[in-house]
PDB file of all heavy atoms in Angstrom:
ATOM      1  N   ALA Q 188      25.587  86.017-110.598  1.00  0.00           N
ATOM      2  CA  ALA Q 188      25.527  87.019-109.539  1.00  0.00           C
ATOM      3  C   ALA Q 188      25.836  86.438-108.162  1.00  0.00           C
ATOM      4  O   ALA Q 188      26.084  87.200-107.215  1.00  0.00           O
ATOM      5  CB  ALA Q 188      24.142  87.664-109.520  1.00  0.00           C
ATOM      6  N   SER Q 189      25.853  85.119-108.050  1.00  0.00           N
ATOM      7  CA  SER Q 189      26.051  84.478-106.743  1.00  0.00           C
ATOM      8  C   SER Q 189      27.486  84.062-106.485  1.00  0.00           C
ATOM      9  O   SER Q 189      27.855  83.794-105.340  1.00  0.00           O
ATOM     10  CB  SER Q 189      25.131  83.251-106.625  1.00  0.00           C
ATOM     11  OG  SER Q 189      23.765  83.626-106.715  1.00  0.00           O
ATOM     12  N   VAL Q 190      28.314  84.000-107.526  1.00  0.00           N
ATOM     13  CA  VAL Q 190      29.717  83.628-107.336  1.00  0.00           C
ATOM     14  C   VAL Q 190      30.556  84.876-107.145  1.00  0.00           C
ATOM     15  O   VAL Q 190      30.124  85.993-107.460  1.00  0.00           O
ATOM     16  CB  VAL Q 190      30.243  82.806-108.532  1.00  0.00           C
ATOM     17  CG1 VAL Q 190      29.456  81.506-108.681  1.00  0.00           C
ATOM     18  CG2 VAL Q 190      30.189  83.622-109.829  1.00  0.00           C
ATOM     19  N   GLY Q 191      31.760  84.674-106.653  1.00  0.00           N
ATOM     20  CA  GLY Q 191      32.652  85.821-106.455  1.00  0.00           C
ATOM     21  C   GLY Q 191      33.250  86.346-107.730  1.00  0.00           C
ATOM     22  O   GLY Q 191      33.634  87.514-107.816  1.00  0.00           O
ATOM     23  N   HIS Q 192      33.302  85.482-108.775  1.00  0.00           N
ATOM     24  CA  HIS Q 192      33.986  85.859-110.015  1.00  0.00           C
ATOM     25  C   HIS Q 192      33.149  85.438-111.224  1.00  0.00           C
ATOM     26  O   HIS Q 192      33.356  84.367-111.787  1.00  0.00           O
ATOM     27  CB  HIS Q 192      35.366  85.209-110.078  1.00  0.00           C
ATOM     28  CG  HIS Q 192      36.218  85.458-108.875  1.00  0.00           C
ATOM     29  ND1 HIS Q 192      36.899  86.638-108.669  1.00  0.00           N
ATOM     30  CD2 HIS Q 192      36.461  84.679-107.786  1.00  0.00           C
ATOM     31  CE1 HIS Q 192      37.549  86.582-107.525  1.00  0.00           C
ATOM     32  NE2 HIS Q 192      37.300  85.403-106.956  1.00  0.00           N
ATOM     33  N   PRO Q 193      32.206  86.281-111.651  1.00  0.00           N
ATOM     34  CA  PRO Q 193      31.405  85.959-112.835  1.00  0.00           C
ATOM     35  C   PRO Q 193      32.147  86.282-114.128  1.00  0.00           C
ATOM     36  O   PRO Q 193      32.914  87.251-114.196  1.00  0.00           O
ATOM     37  CB  PRO Q 193      30.182  86.847-112.674  1.00  0.00           C
ATOM     38  CG  PRO Q 193      30.692  88.034-111.924  1.00  0.00           C
ATOM     39  CD  PRO Q 193      31.777  87.515-110.999  1.00  0.00           C
ATOM     40  N   HIS Q 194      31.925  85.469-115.150  1.00  0.00           N
ATOM     41  CA  HIS Q 194      32.528  85.695-116.468  1.00  0.00           C
ATOM     42  C   HIS Q 194      31.423  85.570-117.516  1.00  0.00           C
ATOM     43  O   HIS Q 194      30.833  84.494-117.659  1.00  0.00           O
ATOM     44  CB  HIS Q 194      33.616  84.669-116.778  1.00  0.00           C
ATOM     45  CG  HIS Q 194      34.740  84.638-115.793  1.00  0.00           C
ATOM     46  ND1 HIS Q 194      35.970  85.219-116.032  1.00  0.00           N
ATOM     47  CD2 HIS Q 194      34.824  84.093-114.545  1.00  0.00           C
ATOM     48  CE1 HIS Q 194      36.759  85.027-114.985  1.00  0.00           C
ATOM     49  NE2 HIS Q 194      36.086  84.348-114.069  1.00  0.00           N
ATOM     50  N   ALA Q 195      31.151  86.636-118.229  1.00  0.00           N
ATOM     51  CA  ALA Q 195      30.196  86.585-119.340  1.00  0.00           C
ATOM     52  C   ALA Q 195      30.976  86.168-120.588  1.00  0.00           C
ATOM     53  O   ALA Q 195      31.756  86.946-121.128  1.00  0.00           O
ATOM     54  CB  ALA Q 195      29.536  87.943-119.544  1.00  0.00           C
ATOM     55  N   VAL Q 196      30.787  84.929-121.006  1.00  0.00           N
ATOM     56  CA  VAL Q 196      31.563  84.365-122.116  1.00  0.00           C
ATOM     57  C   VAL Q 196      30.673  84.297-123.354  1.00  0.00           C
ATOM     58  O   VAL Q 196      29.614  83.651-123.334  1.00  0.00           O
ATOM     59  CB  VAL Q 196      32.087  82.962-121.766  1.00  0.00           C
ATOM     60  CG1 VAL Q 196      32.867  82.380-122.939  1.00  0.00           C
ATOM     61  CG2 VAL Q 196      32.970  83.030-120.523  1.00  0.00           C
ATOM     62  N   ASN Q 197      31.109  84.970-124.428  1.00  0.00           N
ATOM     63  CA  ASN Q 197      30.301  85.028-125.645  1.00  0.00           C
ATOM     64  C   ASN Q 197      28.854  85.386-125.298  1.00  0.00           C
ATOM     65  O   ASN Q 197      27.912  84.692-125.694  1.00  0.00           O
ATOM     66  CB  ASN Q 197      30.353  83.685-126.391  1.00  0.00           C
ATOM     67  CG  ASN Q 197      29.700  83.766-127.762  1.00  0.00           C
ATOM     68  OD1 ASN Q 197      29.748  84.803-128.412  1.00  0.00           O
ATOM     69  ND2 ASN Q 197      29.071  82.676-128.185  1.00  0.00           N
ATOM     70  N   PRO Q 198      28.628  86.448-124.529  1.00  0.00           N
ATOM     71  CA  PRO Q 198      27.305  86.714-123.968  1.00  0.00           C
ATOM     72  C   PRO Q 198      26.261  87.033-125.021  1.00  0.00           C
ATOM     73  O   PRO Q 198      26.550  87.644-126.057  1.00  0.00           O
ATOM     74  CB  PRO Q 198      27.555  87.926-123.067  1.00  0.00           C
ATOM     75  CG  PRO Q 198      28.741  88.607-123.662  1.00  0.00           C
ATOM     76  CD  PRO Q 198      29.600  87.501-124.190  1.00  0.00           C
ATOM     77  N   ASP Q 199      25.025  86.586-124.748  1.00  0.00           N
ATOM     78  CA  ASP Q 199      23.916  86.965-125.617  1.00  0.00           C
ATOM     79  C   ASP Q 199      23.642  88.455-125.414  1.00  0.00           C
ATOM     80  O   ASP Q 199      24.190  89.084-124.497  1.00  0.00           O
ATOM     81  CB  ASP Q 199      22.686  86.098-125.335  1.00  0.00           C
ATOM     82  CG  ASP Q 199      22.193  86.200-123.900  1.00  0.00           C
ATOM     83  OD1 ASP Q 199      22.280  87.291-123.309  1.00  0.00           O
ATOM     84  OD2 ASP Q 199      21.714  85.189-123.356  1.00  0.00           O
ATOM     85  N   PRO Q 200      22.831  89.070-126.265  1.00  0.00           N
ATOM     86  CA  PRO Q 200      22.639  90.531-126.179  1.00  0.00           C
ATOM     87  C   PRO Q 200      22.197  91.011-124.801  1.00  0.00           C
ATOM     88  O   PRO Q 200      22.697  92.036-124.306  1.00  0.00           O
ATOM     89  CB  PRO Q 200      21.572  90.805-127.247  1.00  0.00           C
ATOM     90  CG  PRO Q 200      21.773  89.719-128.261  1.00  0.00           C
ATOM     91  CD  PRO Q 200      22.158  88.511-127.460  1.00  0.00           C
ATOM     92  N   SER Q 201      21.283  90.291-124.162  1.00  0.00           N
ATOM     93  CA  SER Q 201      20.784  90.727-122.854  1.00  0.00           C
ATOM     94  C   SER Q 201      21.862  90.627-121.779  1.00  0.00           C
ATOM     95  O   SER Q 201      22.016  91.531-120.953  1.00  0.00           O
ATOM     96  CB  SER Q 201      19.563  89.907-122.451  1.00  0.00           C
ATOM     97  OG  SER Q 201      18.508  90.091-123.366  1.00  0.00           O
ATOM     98  N   LEU Q 202      22.621  89.535-121.803  1.00  0.00           N
ATOM     99  CA  LEU Q 202      23.691  89.392-120.814  1.00  0.00           C
ATOM    100  C   LEU Q 202      24.789  90.420-121.050  1.00  0.00           C
ATOM    101  O   LEU Q 202      25.417  90.895-120.098  1.00  0.00           O
ATOM    102  CB  LEU Q 202      24.269  87.972-120.855  1.00  0.00           C
ATOM    103  CG  LEU Q 202      25.407  87.700-119.857  1.00  0.00           C
ATOM    104  CD1 LEU Q 202      24.970  87.984-118.427  1.00  0.00           C
ATOM    105  CD2 LEU Q 202      25.926  86.271-120.004  1.00  0.00           C
ATOM    106  N   THR Q 203      25.021  90.771-122.308  1.00  0.00           N
ATOM    107  CA  THR Q 203      26.026  91.797-122.608  1.00  0.00           C
ATOM    108  C   THR Q 203      25.685  93.109-121.906  1.00  0.00           C
ATOM    109  O   THR Q 203      26.563  93.758-121.315  1.00  0.00           O
ATOM    110  CB  THR Q 203      26.121  92.035-124.123  1.00  0.00           C
ATOM    111  OG1 THR Q 203      26.514  90.821-124.766  1.00  0.00           O
ATOM    112  CG2 THR Q 203      27.131  93.121-124.445  1.00  0.00           C
ATOM    113  N   VAL Q 204      24.410  93.485-121.942  1.00  0.00           N
ATOM    114  CA  VAL Q 204      23.981  94.723-121.289  1.00  0.00           C
ATOM    115  C   VAL Q 204      24.182  94.627-119.778  1.00  0.00           C
ATOM    116  O   VAL Q 204      24.751  95.528-119.145  1.00  0.00           O
ATOM    117  CB  VAL Q 204      22.507  95.022-121.613  1.00  0.00           C
ATOM    118  CG1 VAL Q 204      22.005  96.206-120.788  1.00  0.00           C
ATOM    119  CG2 VAL Q 204      22.333  95.293-123.102  1.00  0.00           C
ATOM    120  N   VAL Q 205      23.738  93.503-119.192  1.00  0.00           N
ATOM    121  CA  VAL Q 205      23.851  93.332-117.744  1.00  0.00           C
ATOM    122  C   VAL Q 205      25.317  93.293-117.319  1.00  0.00           C
ATOM    123  O   VAL Q 205      25.715  93.938-116.336  1.00  0.00           O
ATOM    124  CB  VAL Q 205      23.128  92.052-117.293  1.00  0.00           C
ATOM    125  CG1 VAL Q 205      23.368  91.788-115.807  1.00  0.00           C
ATOM    126  CG2 VAL Q 205      21.627  92.160-117.566  1.00  0.00           C
ATOM    127  N   ALA Q 206      26.143  92.543-118.048  1.00  0.00           N
ATOM    128  CA  ALA Q 206      27.561  92.434-117.700  1.00  0.00           C
ATOM    129  C   ALA Q 206      28.259  93.786-117.797  1.00  0.00           C
ATOM    130  O   ALA Q 206      29.114  94.116-116.962  1.00  0.00           O
ATOM    131  CB  ALA Q 206      28.242  91.413-118.610  1.00  0.00           C
ATOM    132  N   THR Q 207      27.894  94.575-118.785  1.00  0.00           N
ATOM    133  CA  THR Q 207      28.486  95.907-118.937  1.00  0.00           C
ATOM    134  C   THR Q 207      28.102  96.803-117.762  1.00  0.00           C
ATOM    135  O   THR Q 207      28.952  97.500-117.194  1.00  0.00           O
ATOM    136  CB  THR Q 207      28.038  96.543-120.263  1.00  0.00           C
ATOM    137  OG1 THR Q 207      28.443  95.707-121.351  1.00  0.00           O
ATOM    138  CG2 THR Q 207      28.658  97.922-120.431  1.00  0.00           C
ATOM    139  N   LEU Q 208      26.828  96.773-117.386  1.00  0.00           N
ATOM    140  CA  LEU Q 208      26.366  97.612-116.277  1.00  0.00           C
ATOM    141  C   LEU Q 208      26.978  97.177-114.947  1.00  0.00           C
ATOM    142  O   LEU Q 208      27.290  98.016-114.100  1.00  0.00           O
ATOM    143  CB  LEU Q 208      24.840  97.566-116.192  1.00  0.00           C
ATOM    144  CG  LEU Q 208      24.084  98.233-117.353  1.00  0.00           C
ATOM    145  CD1 LEU Q 208      22.581  98.007-117.217  1.00  0.00           C
ATOM    146  CD2 LEU Q 208      24.389  99.723-117.413  1.00  0.00           C
ATOM    147  N   ARG Q 209      27.155  95.868-114.772  1.00  0.00           N
ATOM    148  CA  ARG Q 209      27.706  95.353-113.512  1.00  0.00           C
ATOM    149  C   ARG Q 209      29.227  95.255-113.539  1.00  0.00           C
ATOM    150  O   ARG Q 209      29.852  94.837-112.569  1.00  0.00           O
ATOM    151  CB  ARG Q 209      27.110  93.977-113.205  1.00  0.00           C
ATOM    152  CG  ARG Q 209      25.607  94.005-112.957  1.00  0.00           C
ATOM    153  CD  ARG Q 209      25.146  92.720-112.304  1.00  0.00           C
ATOM    154  NE  ARG Q 209      23.719  92.728-112.021  1.00  0.00           N
ATOM    155  CZ  ARG Q 209      23.106  91.828-111.268  1.00  0.00           C
ATOM    156  NH1 ARG Q 209      23.795  90.835-110.715  1.00  0.00           N
ATOM    157  NH2 ARG Q 209      21.808  91.895-111.062  1.00  0.00           N
ATOM    158  N   ARG Q 210      29.808  95.589-114.691  1.00  0.00           N
ATOM    159  CA  ARG Q 210      31.270  95.547-114.863  1.00  0.00           C
ATOM    160  C   ARG Q 210      31.830  94.145-114.670  1.00  0.00           C
ATOM    161  O   ARG Q 210      32.909  93.959-114.120  1.00  0.00           O
ATOM    162  CB  ARG Q 210      31.951  96.541-113.904  1.00  0.00           C
ATOM    163  CG  ARG Q 210      31.566  97.988-114.174  1.00  0.00           C
ATOM    164  CD  ARG Q 210      32.338  98.954-113.305  1.00  0.00           C
ATOM    165  NE  ARG Q 210      31.962 100.341-113.621  1.00  0.00           N
ATOM    166  CZ  ARG Q 210      32.484 101.406-113.018  1.00  0.00           C
ATOM    167  NH1 ARG Q 210      33.408 101.244-112.075  1.00  0.00           N
ATOM    168  NH2 ARG Q 210      32.096 102.622-113.352  1.00  0.00           N
ATOM    169  N   TRP Q 211      31.088  93.171-115.144  1.00  0.00           N
ATOM    170  CA  TRP Q 211      31.602  91.804-115.163  1.00  0.00           C
ATOM    171  C   TRP Q 211      32.528  91.648-116.369  1.00  0.00           C
ATOM    172  O   TRP Q 211      32.297  92.262-117.412  1.00  0.00           O
ATOM    173  CB  TRP Q 211      30.455  90.802-115.286  1.00  0.00           C
ATOM    174  CG  TRP Q 211      29.578  90.702-114.071  1.00  0.00           C
ATOM    175  CD1 TRP Q 211      29.827  91.190-112.821  1.00  0.00           C
ATOM    176  CD2 TRP Q 211      28.296  90.065-114.003  1.00  0.00           C
ATOM    177  NE1 TRP Q 211      28.792  90.888-111.977  1.00  0.00           N
ATOM    178  CE2 TRP Q 211      27.838  90.201-112.669  1.00  0.00           C
ATOM    179  CE3 TRP Q 211      27.496  89.384-114.922  1.00  0.00           C
ATOM    180  CZ2 TRP Q 211      26.615  89.681-112.254  1.00  0.00           C
ATOM    181  CZ3 TRP Q 211      26.280  88.869-114.514  1.00  0.00           C
ATOM    182  CH2 TRP Q 211      25.835  89.014-113.193  1.00  0.00           C
ATOM    183  N   PRO Q 212      33.551  90.832-116.262  1.00  0.00           N
ATOM    184  CA  PRO Q 212      34.408  90.589-117.425  1.00  0.00           C
ATOM    185  C   PRO Q 212      33.607  89.974-118.573  1.00  0.00           C
ATOM    186  O   PRO Q 212      32.799  89.072-118.362  1.00  0.00           O
ATOM    187  CB  PRO Q 212      35.447  89.594-116.894  1.00  0.00           C
ATOM    188  CG  PRO Q 212      35.405  89.748-115.405  1.00  0.00           C
ATOM    189  CD  PRO Q 212      34.000  90.115-115.048  1.00  0.00           C
ATOM    190  N   ILE Q 213      33.812  90.492-119.771  1.00  0.00           N
ATOM    191  CA  ILE Q 213      33.206  89.930-120.980  1.00  0.00           C
ATOM    192  C   ILE Q 213      34.314  89.290-121.798  1.00  0.00           C
ATOM    193  O   ILE Q 213      35.289  89.952-122.165  1.00  0.00           O
ATOM    194  CB  ILE Q 213      32.479  91.014-121.783  1.00  0.00           C
ATOM    195  CG1 ILE Q 213      31.301  91.569-120.973  1.00  0.00           C
ATOM    196  CG2 ILE Q 213      31.996  90.464-123.117  1.00  0.00           C
ATOM    197  CD1 ILE Q 213      30.549  92.685-121.668  1.00  0.00           C
ATOM    198  N   GLU Q 214      34.174  88.008-122.052  1.00  0.00           N
ATOM    199  CA  GLU Q 214      35.231  87.238-122.710  1.00  0.00           C
ATOM    200  C   GLU Q 214      34.664  86.501-123.924  1.00  0.00           C
ATOM    201  O   GLU Q 214      33.465  86.243-124.008  1.00  0.00           O
ATOM    202  CB  GLU Q 214      35.836  86.221-121.729  1.00  0.00           C
ATOM    203  CG  GLU Q 214      36.360  86.840-120.448  1.00  0.00           C
ATOM    204  CD  GLU Q 214      36.700  85.796-119.390  1.00  0.00           C
ATOM    205  OE1 GLU Q 214      36.690  84.587-119.730  1.00  0.00           O
ATOM    206  OE2 GLU Q 214      36.945  86.178-118.236  1.00  0.00           O
ATOM    207  N   TYR Q 215      35.565  86.168-124.825  1.00  0.00           N
ATOM    208  CA  TYR Q 215      35.199  85.378-125.997  1.00  0.00           C
ATOM    209  C   TYR Q 215      36.227  84.265-126.141  1.00  0.00           C
ATOM    210  O   TYR Q 215      37.417  84.542-126.294  1.00  0.00           O
ATOM    211  CB  TYR Q 215      35.157  86.253-127.252  1.00  0.00           C
ATOM    212  CG  TYR Q 215      34.086  87.321-127.177  1.00  0.00           C
ATOM    213  CD1 TYR Q 215      34.383  88.582-126.665  1.00  0.00           C
ATOM    214  CD2 TYR Q 215      32.786  87.064-127.584  1.00  0.00           C
ATOM    215  CE1 TYR Q 215      33.408  89.562-126.568  1.00  0.00           C
ATOM    216  CE2 TYR Q 215      31.799  88.034-127.487  1.00  0.00           C
ATOM    217  CZ  TYR Q 215      32.110  89.274-126.981  1.00  0.00           C
ATOM    218  OH  TYR Q 215      31.149  90.238-126.876  1.00  0.00           O
TER     219      TYR Q 215
END
Side-chain angles (χ1 to χ4, degrees):
S189 299
V190 299
H192 307 281
H194 301 258
V196 179
N197 189 33
D199 59 35
S201 298
L202 180 57
T203 299
V204 172
V205 174
T207 301
L208 292 175
R209 296 195 178 191
R210 297 185 179 180
W211 291 346
I213 296 178
E214 304 169 9
Y215 296 91

